[in-house]
């Protein structure tokens, strides 16, 4: 298998580098690799204050110019979701590695289709980076192995409604609430949170894992730490009242409303259950701050790209053996396994 050169030189451009996720990527990588991190976003003054540059993912000509001017970008960390895969294509065709924290299945599929051009240019894209997708993918892989190839995997994500989630993450969640449920809700014990009712939610992991692990049935469900808020939100969805939330104005209004609601704590938990006949395996992880955890996962992925051999082409987190022990590495940051 073709691999990237170890000890990749150059700098990491963190797009969305002062957002809830991106600021953790910027801070963590700067500690590990001083002088090799360039934060960016649309607010030029803010980016420059942090030693970064202005980037708008909707302005591809401007993005190319930024890459030309910086001259030595070897990794782009995408910590905001663009409209399509054009920006990913620009990076990969130039041989620049890509780390994408996005959670929209369609968009990740578009990036996956760039496998050949990426491999041809010697670039690696790592997708499904974060908590869900991300840690869920890694847990799914382990429980799948534990049962000897699952017939079904259930993933459960609990997010803290008291955390100050970033606007782009809230926008993504609001868009997900507008989509109809594709499976039944499930009662799931979660470490530190008791038994919770979790509802099917369109996280990308459940779609990509069917392919990467070859498991026919994978479902990801979501609940919030606040029981009343979870019950109300999903009752609204069941009643079809959130289905119309596709218009940009409605989405902006709801995003702004949800960004102000802080009804719980900042803990999160993820759990994976695999089933094969009578066999059942389960694993969970828990910690504080899903944005922080997502940023830490992304920073670890970039460190791996900077320092280790990783296959070229487009890969999801669960497909890279160099990152298989990430859950253990995260224990140092207070993200821990629970039985
Ligand atoms: N995989 C996971 O588990 C996981 C978990 C959490 C979040 N996420 C994803 O991570 C992404 C970021 O979430 P977040 O919570 O960090 O959101 P956030 O706090 O709103 O951060 C977004 C950042 O991107 C910048 N930005 C916004 N639009 C931009 C554009 N057009 N061009 C360039 N920069 C732009 C923002 O700054 P300006 O507005 O100044 O440009 C900000 O710095 C979201 O797509 C979310 O779905 C994934």
């Amino acid at each position: 298998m073709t691999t990237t050169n170890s000890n990749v030189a150059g700098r990491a451009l963190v797009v969305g580098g002062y957002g809830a996720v991106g600021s953790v990527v910027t801070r963590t990588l700067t500690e590990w690799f001083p002088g090799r991190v360039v934060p960016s976003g649309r607010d030029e003054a803010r980016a420059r204050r942090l030693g970064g540059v202005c980037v708008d993912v909707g302005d591809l000509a401007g993005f190319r110019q930024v890459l030309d001017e910086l001259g030595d970008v070897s990794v782009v960390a995408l910590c905001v979701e663009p409209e399509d895969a054009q920006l990913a294509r620009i990076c990969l065709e130039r041989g620049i590695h890509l780390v994408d924290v996005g959670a929209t299945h369609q968009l990740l599929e578009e990036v996956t289709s760039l496998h050949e051009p990426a491999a041809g240019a010697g670039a690696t894209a790592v997708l499904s980076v974060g908590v869900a997708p991300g840690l869920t993918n890694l847990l799914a892989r382990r429980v799948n192995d534990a049962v000897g190839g699952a017939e079904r995997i259930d993933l459960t994500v609990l997010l803290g409604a008291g955390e100050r989630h970033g606007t782009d993450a809230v926008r993504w969640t609001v868009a997900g609430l507008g989509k109809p449920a594709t499976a039944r809700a499930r009662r799931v014990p979660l470490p530190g949170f008791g038994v919770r009712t979790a509802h099917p939610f369109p996280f990308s992991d459940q779609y990509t894992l069917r392919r990467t692990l070859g498991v026919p049935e994978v479902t990801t469900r979501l609940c919030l730490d606040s029981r009343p808020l979870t019950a109300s939100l999903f009752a609204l969805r069941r009643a079809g009242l959130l289905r119309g939330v596709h218009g940009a104005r409605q989405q902006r209004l709801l995003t702004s409303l949800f960004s102000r609601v802080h009804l719980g704590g900042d803990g999160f938990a993820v759990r994976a259950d695999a089933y094969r006949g009578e066999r059942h395996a389960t694993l969970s992880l828990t910690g504080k701050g899903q944005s922080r955890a997502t940023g830490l996962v992304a920073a670890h992925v970039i460190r791996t790209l900077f320092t280790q051999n990783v296959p070229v082409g487009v890969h999801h987190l669960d497909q890279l053996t160099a990152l298989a022990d990430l859950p253990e590495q995260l224990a140092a940051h207070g993200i821990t396994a629970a039985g």
Side-chain angles (χ1 to χ4, degrees), residues 15-22 40-43 55-58 79-81 101-103 129-133 165-169 171-172 290-291 294:
V15 184
Y18 47 82
V21 171
S40 65
R42 291 170 301 179
D43 184 336
V55 165
D56 183 338
V57 294
C79 299
V80 62
E81 204 160 73
V101 306
V129 171
V131 170
H165 302 282
T167 310
D168 205 46
R171 173 200 58 75
W172 181 88
Q290 63 81 28
S291 314
T294 295

Side-chain angles (χ1 to χ4, degrees), residues 20-280:
V21 171
S23 58
V24 179
V25 180
T26 300
R27 206 167 44 243
T28 310
L29 278 181
T30 303
E31 260 173 46
W32 292 340
F33 303 100
R36 290 185 64 186
V37 187
V38 185
S40 65
R42 291 170 301 179
D43 184 336
E44 180 156 16
R46 197 166 173 195
R48 292 217 182 272
R49 268 201 306 280
L50 296 166
V53 294
C54 181
V55 165
D56 183 338
V57 294
D59 173 9
L60 297 179
F63 181 67
R64 282 195 188 89
Q65 196 180 334
V66 166
L67 291 181
D68 289 340
E69 282 169 10
L70 291 173
D72 64 347
V73 173
S74 54
V75 178
V76 166
L78 209 39
C79 299
V80 62
E81 204 160 73
E83 288 277 307
D84 55 34
Q86 289 304 319
L87 190 133
R89 178 184 284 280
I90 290 171
C91 297
L92 297 172
E93 286 182 348
R94 287 178 176 225
I96 295 174
H97 307 308
L98 182 76
V99 174
D100 189 345
V101 306
T104 301
H105 171 58
Q106 182 55 37
L107 204 47
L108 296 185
E109 283 298 293
E110 284 179 38
V111 181
T112 304
S113 73
L114 300 173
H115 180 79
E116 292 305 329
T124 299
V126 188
L127 312 183
S128 301
V129 171
V131 170
L135 296 178
T136 49
N137 294 59
L138 295 177
L139 295 188
R141 176 163 204 117
R142 290 186 185 187
V143 292
N144 182 56
D145 290 349
V147 298
E151 289 154 356
R152 186 181 111 218
I153 292 180
D154 288 316
L155 299 168
T156 310
V157 181
L158 178 143
L159 299 178
E163 180 178 337
R164 292 193 179 275
H165 302 282
T167 310
D168 205 46
V170 177
R171 173 200 58 75
W172 181 88
T173 311
V174 166
L177 281 168
K179 296 182 181 148
T182 50
R184 295 161 71 95
R186 193 168 169 257
R187 299 270 296 157
V188 193
L190 292 165
F193 296 96
V195 177
R196 296 307 185 102
T197 303
H199 302 263
F201 205 75
F203 290 98
S204 59
D205 45 12
Q206 61 202 311
Y207 305 108
T208 54
L209 285 164
R210 290 174 202 175
R211 179 164 45 79
T212 59
L213 299 182
V215 177
E217 193 185 339
V218 187
T219 306
T220 312
R221 294 177 175 83
L222 171 68
C223 58
L224 304 173
D225 60 346
S226 161
R227 291 177 201 269
L229 196 54
T230 308
S232 322
L233 271 184
F234 287 97
L236 285 175
R237 180 171 82 169
R238 256 195 321 280
L241 294 175
L242 297 171
R243 210 164 290 167
V245 187
H246 292 304
R249 192 163 164 271
Q250 282 173 312
Q251 283 206 2
R252 269 201 305 278
L253 270 174
L254 262 189
T255 301
S256 158
L257 179 69
F258 286 163
S259 297
R260 283 160 221 237
V261 174
H262 302 292
L263 270 182
D266 66 350
F268 73 88
V270 290
R271 171 176 166 133
D273 290 273
Y275 302 89
R276 181 189 175 94
E278 295 298 303
R279 302 186 71 182
H280 171 220

